[in-house]
Amino acid sequence: MPKTRIACWNVQKGQHLAAAADYLNAWRPDVWLAQEILPAHQALFELATAMRCYPASPTLNSPNDNAVFIREGGVFDVSAEYLHPSAPWHPPADLAVRSANTDSLSASNSISLISVHLCGFSASTRLQEADWCTTLAAPGQLAIIGGSWNSYPADEGPDSDLWKHLLSEDNPARDPSLYMGRTYAENCVRHTDDRPDRIMTDAGFIDVAQFAHQSLDRLHAISPTVGHQDKDRQGGRWRVDRVYISARLAPAILDVEIGEVQTVGNLSDHLPILITLDTEKTAALMRARPDTESAANAKAP
C-alpha cells in the first residue's frame, strides 16, 4: 500500500539542526509542516532532507518561523503558494497541492497544507489566528493544518489548582507570564485557553491525534508534545502541538505517532507529530466531489 507521510515539527530555532535533519531523513516525510525555521537555515534543511522549502512571508514581527517543506517528485505537486504578510503575529505558511501524476481526466481537487505557530503571549491574537484557519473549512475545500497552537485541547489544560500552584510565591518555577499567555479573561475570571481547539473542531476539522486514539487505538497518539525538556517552563507536559485535518480526509488516516522522548527529545523542546495516510485513498478523496461523497455515504449500510 503506497503511503503518504506528513511530519509536523517545531525544531527550536537554531538548535541541533543536523541531527534534526537526520531524524527527518530516517522517517522520510513527503510533507513537513515546520515551525521556527530561520531564513539562514532553510537551505540547510532543503539540502539535508531533499525537500523544497516554502517559507511564510517575513514580517517585522516575524522574520522567520513557519514553512512547508515538500518532497519534489513525491506524491504532491504544488499548485499555488499564498503569503500572508498582514497576519497578526507569525504568518502561516500556506500551500495548495494536488496529487502528482494525475491526468486531465482525473484531475484532483487541491489540499491546503498550512503550518502555523500561534501567538504565545496573547489569547486574543490566537483567537484571531484560529478564526482565520476556519476559512479553510469552506464547502469543497480540503486542508491539513498543523503546528504549535500555544494553547490546549478542550478539557486537557491546567486546572485552577495547577495554575494556583504555578503562581505560588513558594514555587521556584513561578511564571506569571505563562499564566497570562495561556489563559484568557472572561467575566473577570481567567480561564485556561482551549478556544483555538474548540474553534477548529466546531468548524468541522478533526484533531488527527484524537482520531487515531479513538478510532485506531493508537494510545500514544495523544502523548504530550512539550514539557519533556523543561516541565517547569511549560507548567507541565501538554499537547500544545496539534494537526487538524478536514473530516473528509479522515478515512485516509492510517497512523499517528509522537516522536519518542528517548529518541528525539534532546533535539527540540517540541516533539514531532508523524502522520501516515493511505496515498491512494487520499487521492480518491481529493478527486471526489463533496456532494457525490455525501450521497455515497448516505447509501452506505
Side-chain angles (χ1 to χ4, degrees):
M1 176 193 301
K3 297 177 180 179
T4 298
R5 293 181 167 187
I6 299 174
C8 177
W9 193 16
N10 180 327
V11 293
Q12 193 173 6
K13 61 185 71 172
Q15 302 292 314
H16 308 292
L17 302 182
D22 288 343
Y23 177 83
L24 287 166
N25 275 333
W27 200 69
R28 195 171 170 78
D30 299 284
V31 174
W32 173 23
L33 306 177
Q35 299 83 49
E36 298 200 16
I37 299 294
L38 293 166
H41 301 150
Q42 292 170 13
L44 181 152
F45 277 114
E46 284 187 317
L47 181 63
T49 64
M51 303 175 78
R52 181 174 176 185
C53 177
Y54 293 85
S57 175
T59 68
L60 292 177
N61 285 337
S62 175
N64 61 78
D65 204 14
N66 301 310
V68 177
F69 285 76
I70 299 289
R71 188 166 302 285
E72 295 190 294
V75 297
F76 292 128
D77 288 332
V78 176
S79 56
E81 178 182 13
Y82 302 100
L83 299 178
H84 304 279
S86 60
W89 187 237
H90 297 309
D94 180 358
L95 293 185
V97 298
R98 296 184 184 275
S99 293
N101 304 318
T102 54
D103 58 39
S104 59
L105 296 178
S106 61
S108 67
N109 296 310
S110 64
I111 293 180
S112 293
L113 301 176
I114 314 292
S115 174
V116 298
H117 192 169
L118 271 58
C119 185
F121 61 82
S122 170
S124 59
T125 301
R126 287 195 296 273
L127 203 61
Q128 183 180 356
E129 292 169 318
D131 282 341
W132 175 84
C133 290
T134 68
T135 63
L136 299 163
Q141 284 197 268
L142 298 172
I144 300 174
I145 308 169
S148 301
W149 296 79
N150 276 316
S151 54
Y152 307 95
D155 303 319
E156 287 188 28
D159 59 19
S160 58
D161 288 338
L162 180 54
W163 283 126
K164 287 178 183 177
H165 167 70
L166 293 173
L167 292 172
S168 170
E169 296 289 349
D170 298 329
N171 183 357
R174 183 175 183 269
D175 188 354
S177 175
L178 177 69
Y179 173 66
M180 296 301 293
R182 294 279 179 87
T183 62
Y184 65 94
E186 186 175 78
N187 297 325
C188 300
V189 177
R190 296 203 72 84
H191 304 271
T192 295
D193 190 16
D194 60 7
R195 295 181 301 176
D197 178 66
R198 294 181 185 276
I199 286 171
M200 295 300 290
T201 55
D202 285 350
F205 289 104
I206 289 174
D207 175 343
V208 297
Q210 283 285 10
F211 177 87
H213 174 66
Q214 295 170 0
S215 301
L216 303 176
D217 291 327
R218 302 297 194 267
L219 302 183
H220 182 60
I222 56 170
S223 297
T225 62
V226 299
H228 54 281
Q229 284 191 359
D230 187 353
K231 186 169 63 174
D232 290 337
R233 183 170 174 267
Q234 292 286 346
R237 295 197 60 196
W238 306 105
R239 202 161 61 86
V240 166
D241 303 88
R242 299 185 294 279
V243 177
Y244 297 89
I245 193 169
S246 298
R248 281 176 54 207
L249 294 172
I253 299 174
L254 295 175
D255 197 10
V256 178
E257 310 166 54
I258 305 299
E260 294 184 356
V261 173
Q262 301 92 320
T263 304
V264 73
N266 65 321
L267 302 184
S268 173
D269 56 354
H270 295 251
L271 295 177
I273 304 170
L274 310 170
I275 303 162
T276 304
L277 304 179
D278 181 320
T279 301
E280 293 178 350
K281 187 169 286 187
T282 301
L285 292 168
M286 291 173 70
R287 289 193 297 270
R289 292 181 178 275
D291 53 349
T292 302
E293 183 181 282
S294 298
N297 288 340
K299 294 177 183 178

